[in-house]
Amino acid sequence: EAKRNGKNRISYYDEQTEASSYRRLDLEKNMRNATMNACREFEVFYQPIVDLNSENNSCCGAEALVRWNSEQMGFIAPTDFIPLAEYLGLINPIGEYVLEQAAKKCKYWNDMGHPEYKINVNLSVVQLLQNDIVDKIRSVLESTGINPKNLTLEVTESLAINDMDRMKWILSQIKELGVRVALDDFGTGYSSLNHIREMPIDVIKIDRCFIEHIAEDDFSDAFVKMVAELASTIGVAICVEGVEDTRQLEMIKRMKISLGQGYLFGKPMPIEEFEKNYVM
Ligand code: C2E
Ligand code: MG
Ligand code: MG
Ligand code: MG
């Protein structure tokens, strides 16, 4: 299997963790079909991101989050299919589909009286390491007409660790397009505080596991404070993920944190619902 997909394929997909290889084969077959079928089974949801410096924590954009409604298998959560999509290389067409949809929507919101709204799109490291990723992003900017500064690409550190210099080079080329870069899920996996200084990033998204415990656990509280302090020192913005209640919000409000995201403000929702609540 690994051979068939090329020994240089970069992926974290772990076959050992798969409970049933039949389900795995079904998933694979259906994902290939769905991808070949113009990605119509994939739907982009939008979760509001709020400006914590505004009076009512008002919406200032959204994160695009993919959903798969498989005709054969029903609803499949991204955490259940993205690792396999990465392993099979299918994350490239799926990710491009999400990027295109999301950029198009953001451009529309910008034209509809919200010129400041921004869209965040997750970019798998598999996508990031494609030779033509910069051209692909440039062509989405051109075809959608989105203002590049309103597009933020979210990347995780996980694989960057292998080849920091290559990753830095790719990210700096992306930034030359005028697009912003966010470091997602910060504080988990392969995080290094040095990445904050070394990587050409605009935003750090602190993983929601820290916010989850911020009200009970001194370590989480101190960690978020420290990262916020470091980030503000070098002019990088902070977005906290997973804000679910007002106690967490109060604690975060006292820190140097400008952006918030979580069920307290809004869950990921279909485009119609997002536009009804936050655009029209
Ligand atoms: P992520 O990029 O860190 O996205 C945030 C996840 O946290 C989303 O899960 C979101 O629904 C969830 N979340 C947001 N606020 C809260 C909260 O207050 N409480 C709780 N419990 N959860 C919250 P989701 O949509 O299931 O996505 C999971 C992961 O799948 C994402 O994590 C991202 O890594 C990946 N993903 C989703 N869409 C895409 C995509 O289009 N491309 C790629 N490459 N990855 C994607
Ligand atoms: Mg994300
Ligand atoms: Mg995240
Ligand atoms: Mg996450």
Side-chain angles (χ1 to χ4, degrees):
E1 191 72 72
K3 242 186 225 135
R4 177 156 66 83
N5 288 291
K7 62 173 162 29
N8 292 324
R9 171 135 302 148
I10 285 155
S11 161
Y12 278 129
Y13 187 71
D14 180 1
E15 285 172 291
Q16 307 272 300
T17 61
E18 198 60 42
S20 150
S21 56
Y22 288 112
R23 165 140 175 112
R24 152 80 171 66
L25 284 174
D26 272 352
L27 265 175
E28 174 170 350
K29 187 185 76 203
N30 287 311
M31 205 186 304
R32 286 192 193 284
N33 287 338
T35 306
M36 282 188 304
N37 202 2
C39 289
R40 271 189 286 271
E41 287 183 357
F42 297 99
E43 185 179 354
V44 185
F45 274 32
Y46 296 87
Q47 182 177 34
I49 295 177
V50 306
D51 176 0
L52 295 173
N53 296 320
S54 68
E55 223 164 279
N56 305 311
N57 305 313
S58 54
C59 177
C60 61
E63 177 173 3
L65 294 158
V66 72
R67 302 290 180 255
W68 183 17
N69 289 305
S70 165
E71 200 183 319
Q72 301 296 321
M73 308 183 82
F75 177 85
I76 301 159
T79 44
D80 289 335
F81 73 85
I82 284 175
L84 180 61
E86 289 177 331
Y87 178 74
L88 298 171
L90 295 174
I91 193 65
N92 294 329
I94 298 170
E96 277 156 43
Y97 174 78
V98 174
L99 176 60
E100 227 173 84
Q101 294 292 313
K104 196 157 69 181
K105 295 303 177 190
C106 182
K107 161 74 171 146
Y108 174 71
W109 309 333
N110 294 156
D111 291 343
M112 289 297 286
H114 300 277
E116 77 293 354
Y117 270 23
K118 293 177 170 45
I119 189 74
N120 285 29
V121 180
N122 294 285
L123 210 67
S124 159
V125 75
V126 174
Q127 287 177 271
L128 207 56
L129 293 176
Q130 296 171 101
N131 289 324
D132 58 349
I133 185 62
V134 178
D135 293 334
K136 280 180 169 166
I137 295 166
R138 185 185 298 112
S139 95
V140 171
L141 294 175
E142 281 165 9
S143 70
T144 61
I146 187 177
N147 184 337
K149 77 174 189 348
N150 286 345
L151 174 64
T152 302
L153 297 174
E154 299 193 1
V155 302
T156 54
E157 295 161 291
S158 39
L159 279 170
I161 206 80
N162 283 329
D163 196 346
M164 273 291 280
D165 288 338
R166 170 126 190 255
M167 191 58 67
K168 269 187 342 203
W169 184 74
I170 297 168
L171 292 181
S172 60
Q173 279 193 299
I174 289 176
K175 288 197 52 149
E176 270 175 38
L177 298 173
V179 171
R180 291 151 53 91
V181 174
L183 201 51
D184 204 357
D185 304 337
F186 187 79
T188 63
Y190 296 79
S191 296
S192 152
L193 287 178
N194 206 36
H195 291 174
I196 295 183
R197 184 168 66 182
E198 293 249 309
M199 304 282 269
I201 51 170
D202 304 282
V203 184
I204 293 167
K205 298 191 76 173
I206 299 181
D207 193 80
R208 85 176 128 81
C209 68
F210 296 100
I211 311 328
E212 193 181 341
H213 301 119
I214 199 167
E216 304 98 44
D217 159 25
D218 290 343
F219 178 86
S220 295
D221 181 40
F223 180 84
V224 177
K225 268 188 193 136
M226 172 196 69
V227 175
E229 201 62 53
L230 273 176
S232 113
T233 305
I234 56 166
V236 167
I238 293 279
C239 177
V240 289
E241 305 185 304
V243 182
E244 293 186 352
D245 60 50
T246 50
R247 242 184 107 207
Q248 294 165 342
L249 177 61
E250 275 164 32
M251 300 194 62
I252 288 155
K253 281 268 200 185
R254 288 185 227 123
M255 304 176 193
K256 292 174 176 167
I257 293 173
S258 53
L259 299 166
Q261 187 178 348
Y263 294 171
L264 179 65
F265 310 116
K267 290 192 172 182
M269 58 192 93
I271 182 69
E272 300 79 24
E273 195 180 333
F274 181 82
E275 293 189 340
K276 194 177 96 200
N277 288 304
Y278 299 97
V279 181
M280 299 311 168

